[in-house]
Amino acid sequence: MNGCESIEITQAAQDDLLAAYWFYEHQQAGIGAYFLNSLYADIDALQISAGVHIKIQPSGAFRSLGSRFPFAIYYLLEGKKATVLAVLDTRRSPEWLRERPSL
């Protein structure tokens, strides 16, 4: 069975979302809010789909891709709880990802 009963978003992931919000909001007013709505919908979808995404090594975190923006949601699944560790722009170099201690 896939999915989860609860989702926790770490402070680091919240910081990622806020930084991306401001990036898009500076591009055009209102896009930042659209970005947040889209990514939170993708995070909420983990209630149904957690555990079916690709697992990255060495952390064992799963990676779900955003549906409207080029962002990846990295999360751990422990029992029926998903913990979102990071929400990162997929256009960045993979080397940058390796610098994240939680991943």
Side-chain angles (χ1 to χ4, degrees), residues 8-10 23 67 81 87-88 90:
E8 176 186 347
I9 303 174
T10 63
F23 170 80
S67 60
K81 178 183 174 186
V87 181
L88 303 176
T90 59

Side-chain angles (χ1 to χ4, degrees), residues 41-81:
D42 293 332
I43 291 170
D44 286 343
L46 293 176
Q47 291 179 330
I48 297 168
S49 64
V52 302
H53 305 100
I54 190 168
K55 195 179 249 192
I56 61 168
Q57 299 298 330
S59 70
F62 292 91
R63 182 186 69 203
S64 171
L65 298 176
S67 60
R68 292 188 182 96
F69 287 85
F71 277 73
I73 301 161
Y74 294 89
Y75 67 95
L76 292 174
L77 186 59
E78 298 161 333
K80 286 295 187 180
K81 178 183 174 186

Side-chain angles (χ1 to χ4, degrees), residues 21-43:
Y21 164 83
W22 284 113
F23 170 80
Y24 284 111
E25 195 62 23
H26 282 102
Q27 303 305 308
Q28 182 178 341
I31 301 294
Y34 180 66
F35 166 81
L36 284 181
N37 287 337
S38 175
L39 266 290
Y40 280 126
D42 293 332
I43 291 170

